[in-house]
């Protein structure tokens, strides 16, 4: 095992406070549900941050000490200050990993990094989802079978308005007939981004072992590497010309 990966789990943390059916599923908030299973994994240091903390819990110091940021938001995307979005954006370009979960597809940070609308089709009918691994050699697929199922979930359907992913790890099928690119990898600057679809707030999806495994794998995949420091601009030739 190499160095410790510092993970910050960010949650908007509003549904859990105002919707009883969500509080029943995630009494301590989605951030703690995710943080608690990650704490049991080797090699990770976990902290959480939420929207209503000063600077949304994402001060420059916190971000400078974050290797991987996990993002869950839904009803209050517009309350995230642009200044904080810019701060996260710059950290991603400089190598911080970012895992965007479920309804985070419409977050300011994801849309800024994608450069597209990031919208999709959806339906809340509690239907079954079958998630197929389409890139079995990918590190994010480590430990999974050919597919796994989520018994009751919200449907997300194509078209998902994102740029073509650099790597596509999962495709979902839903009982109602739609399909969705549910595990998408992107590179932006030195940073790696993973979008993972599962995680609607009224279903206990973040307690499911395969989902937890994917998030853990994604933390390891998006974590920064010690690559070269790049110098841009005018340069002298390395050989005589
Ligand atoms: Zn949802």
């Amino acid at each position: 095992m190499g160095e410790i990966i510092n993970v910050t789990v960010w949650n908007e943390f509003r549904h859990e406070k105002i919707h009883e059916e969500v509080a029943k599923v995630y009494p301590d908030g989605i951030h703690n549900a995710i943080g608690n299973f990650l704490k049991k994994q080797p090699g990770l240091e976990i902290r959480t941050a939420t929207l209503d903390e000063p600077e949304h819990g994402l001060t420059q110091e916190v971000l400078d000490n974050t290797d991987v940021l996990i993002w869950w938001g839904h009803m209050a995307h517009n309350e995230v200050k642009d200044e904080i979005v810019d701060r996260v954006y710059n950290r991603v370009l400089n190598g911080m990993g970012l895992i965007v979960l479920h309804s985070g597809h419409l977050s300011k940070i994801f849309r800024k990094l994608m450069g597209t609308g990031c919208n999709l089709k959806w339906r809340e009918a509690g239907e079954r989802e079958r998630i197929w691994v389409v890139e079995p050699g990918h590190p994010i697929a480590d430990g999974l079978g050919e597919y796994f199922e989520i018994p009751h979930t919200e449907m997300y359907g194509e078209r998902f308005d994102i740029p073509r992913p650099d790597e596509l790890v999962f495709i979902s099928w839903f009982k109602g007939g739609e399909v969705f690119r549910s595990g998408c990898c992107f590179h932006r600057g030195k940073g790696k981004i993973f979008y993972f679809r599962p995680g609607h707030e009224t279903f206990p999806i973040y307690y499911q072992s395969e989902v937890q495994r994917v998030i853990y794998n994604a933390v390891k995949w998006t974590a920064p590497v010690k690559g070269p420091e790049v110098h841009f601009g005018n340069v002298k030739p390395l050989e005589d010309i």
Side-chain angles (χ1 to χ4, degrees), residues 25-26 37 43 50 101-102 104 134-135 139 160 229 234:
V25 183
Y26 295 108
F37 75 74
T50 57
L101 298 171
H102 189 62
V134 294
E135 208 56 77
F160 183 17
E229 195 183 322
N234 184 259

Side-chain angles (χ1 to χ4, degrees), residues 1 4-5 34-46 209 212-213 215-217 219-220:
M1 197 69 215
I4 294 285
I5 301 172
I34 293 170
N36 288 344
F37 75 74
L38 287 176
K39 278 176 190 162
K40 294 179 192 141
Q41 308 303 319
L44 308 184
E45 191 68 46
I46 309 298
S209 62
Q212 295 181 346
R213 180 67 189 241
I215 293 172
Y216 172 58
N217 290 345
V219 165
K220 290 193 291 179

